[in-house]
Amino acid sequence: MEIRRLDLRRHDETDAWYRALREAASAHRVAPVVVEREALLTSLRSNDGNPNCDRRAYGAWCGTRCVGAALLVLPRHDNTHLAEIGVDVPPHARRRGVGRAMFDRLRDAARQEGRTVLATEVDAAGIGPHTLTAAPGGRFALACGFSPKHTELRRVLDVPVPEERLRALEETAAKRATEYHVVGWTGLPPLDVLGPFAHLHTLMDADVPTGELSREPVVYDAERVLRGQERLVEQGYGLVTTLIRDQDDSPVGYTTMCVMGGDNQEVPQDNTFVLRSRRGRGLGMLSKLSTCVCSTSITRTSAMYTRGRPRTTTPCAPSTSVSASVLWRPCTSSNAPWTGARDGESAEVCSGVSYVTCRGRVSRDPVRGRRSPVNAGR
């Protein structure tokens, strides 16, 4: 078996590599959402122009057969002590040392780049300490020295939502949000809202619960937000955004959804955020409803996905309540394991809804993605 960097110039190699990744990422999961092929490959091929991170793909090969796919993501500017990894092995190739060989390769590459903490995610059903041991990926992460430090919840909304349910929710939200109005767009944000929109991204990143993960909030400016969304459009995503404004026309919240390209019919929700001082007024509900209606009207969508960011294993109450009201149902949770890139450092794991995803820090002595389709494509 050979572990090597993916040759992005060879279509036969990239096809085999993506098939292995998709098979592994879909196995034994409820309503799996996997990054679309062209979105991922476009991101990898334009890696040199990625201002935020260096993304490298590796494959495990037995002759011409790809038996495993892996990704190494190195932040370029923020949290440069971290390296995020993903290891995907199809069921037929598991328990043969493939995953461990790819993990060792990624760990060594991260060390060479001076990274001290590895981060990853594990999808598993349910919430709680038992979820990692009950899932193949969780058991593998634990064997590599990972331990859970954060849980993210994932919910799925089957569409179309019954009209009577939508009307009732819209009427309720409108009564509570009488001093606010909604503006929305598809594609890139208008230039006149870019600055305030970027500020909301900064507040969102600082506000989102991260459990015990060793990650510092990211500061966004207009250029960073615009370039990030341009990359998503280049990769084939359709962006649908709703911005909530108050009577002074100041932005107070937003929701963005990403319509996946290719044959995918899923729409991952990227973010929903409302200023703390404006919460409890139905603005989260208003934003989600507006974006949901727009998304389903422009695509053949069969399902939408959202990920709430709970603190450790306790869901974020406002986000969870709003999602449940719109009939988002739990799908999985996500645990993110992290591992030290040098001997003696700790590791972390994070987890979430429907499936469990873990993020955390791990050392050679076991201790502590969100790799959503959207993040995986950036």
Side-chain angles (χ1 to χ4, degrees):
M1 180 177 62
E2 179 187 8
I3 309 296
R4 66 173 185 265
R5 288 282 296 270
L6 180 64
D7 186 347
L8 294 165
R9 299 167 300 178
R10 293 184 52 184
H11 292 292
D12 57 338
E13 188 164 309
T14 55
D15 286 346
W17 179 85
Y18 181 77
R19 283 197 301 270
L21 182 147
R22 189 173 188 88
E23 181 182 354
S26 302
H28 312 303
R29 291 184 58 189
V30 178
V33 183
V34 184
V35 60
E36 196 270 328
R37 177 186 181 280
E38 286 308 311
L40 177 55
L41 293 178
T42 298
S43 173
L44 292 170
R45 287 171 178 147
S46 61
N47 186 54
D48 289 345
N50 188 334
N52 299 321
C53 58
D54 176 8
R55 308 181 74 240
R56 307 174 187 179
Y58 295 80
W61 302 87
C62 290
T64 58
R65 291 190 307 116
C66 184
V67 293
L71 285 168
L72 174 65
V73 181
L74 304 169
R76 297 188 191 274
H77 305 294
D78 308 284
N79 298 295
T80 54
H81 63 297
L82 297 180
E84 297 190 13
I85 69 171
V87 175
D88 293 287
V89 180
H92 66 81
R94 293 174 184 172
R95 305 189 67 81
R96 300 180 186 178
V98 176
R100 187 64 195 225
M102 290 196 297
F103 169 78
D104 289 344
R105 179 65 180 273
L106 296 182
R107 179 198 58 201
D108 292 345
R111 285 175 173 169
Q112 291 172 5
E113 296 295 335
R115 307 304 165 112
T116 57
V117 176
L118 294 184
T120 190
E121 293 187 352
V122 174
D123 291 303
I127 302 174
H130 66 285
T131 54
L132 286 181
T133 55
R139 292 192 294 272
F140 173 73
L142 293 172
C144 290
F146 289 96
S147 62
K149 292 296 177 179
H150 183 56
T151 299
E152 291 185 349
L153 304 181
R154 187 165 69 92
R155 291 177 176 270
V156 59
L157 173 67
D158 298 313
V159 294
V161 177
E163 284 294 330
E164 61 275 12
R165 182 60 177 168
L166 278 178
R167 283 196 299 271
L169 290 170
E170 288 172 340
E171 290 173 3
T172 299
K175 290 177 181 177
R176 298 177 63 191
T178 55
E179 299 179 356
Y180 302 87
H181 61 280
V182 177
V183 295
W185 62 84
T186 58
L188 300 178
L191 295 180
D192 62 324
V193 305
L194 201 48
F197 190 45
H199 182 58
L200 289 179
H201 276 70
T202 297
L203 296 177
M204 166 76 180
D205 207 65
D207 186 72
V208 64
T210 55
E212 300 173 53
L213 303 184
S214 62
R215 176 188 176 279
E216 294 300 319
V218 174
V219 176
Y220 290 86
D221 58 20
E223 181 180 358
R224 183 167 191 164
V225 169
L226 181 60
R227 184 60 189 128
Q229 298 218 337
E230 285 175 341
R231 283 184 61 81
L232 290 174
V233 171
E234 290 166 3
Q235 293 160 28
Y237 288 99
L239 305 181
V240 181
T241 303
T242 293
L243 189 69
I244 306 295
R245 293 180 178 269
D246 63 14
Q247 290 179 319
D248 297 326
D249 222 28
S250 299
V252 299
Y254 75 97
T255 291
T256 296
M257 291 188 180
C258 302
V259 181
M260 298 177 71
D263 295 329
N264 291 285
Q265 295 187 348
E266 293 84 18
V267 180
Q269 177 190 296
D270 195 22
N271 285 322
T272 288
F273 175 73
V274 175
L275 293 177
R276 282 184 175 272
S277 61
R278 308 303 178 94
R279 293 175 189 173
R281 296 172 170 81
L283 301 183
M285 174 74 74
L286 182 64
S287 181
K288 281 180 181 283
L289 285 172
S290 299
T291 314
C292 176
V293 170
C294 184
S295 297
T296 54
S297 68
I298 65 173
T299 182
R300 299 171 298 139
T301 302
S302 60
M304 293 185 177
Y305 295 85
T306 181
R307 297 178 71 164
R309 305 294 189 81
R311 298 184 183 277
T312 61
T313 57
T314 304
C316 178
S319 176
T320 300
S321 176
V322 170
S323 295
S325 297
V326 191
L327 303 182
W328 300 82
R329 55 183 172 82
C331 176
T332 57
S333 61
S334 165
N335 297 276
W338 301 46
T339 184
R342 294 196 297 265
D343 292 349
E345 294 187 333
S346 64
E348 310 166 341
V349 180
C350 138
S351 57
V353 180
S354 292
Y355 279 92
V356 177
T357 302
C358 304
R359 277 196 159 175
R361 251 171 148 177
V362 185
S363 70
R364 299 301 287 281
D365 300 318
V367 216
R368 128 166 176 131
R370 160 174 160 177
R371 186 182 52 169
S372 73
V374 177
N375 286 333
R378 283 181 175 154

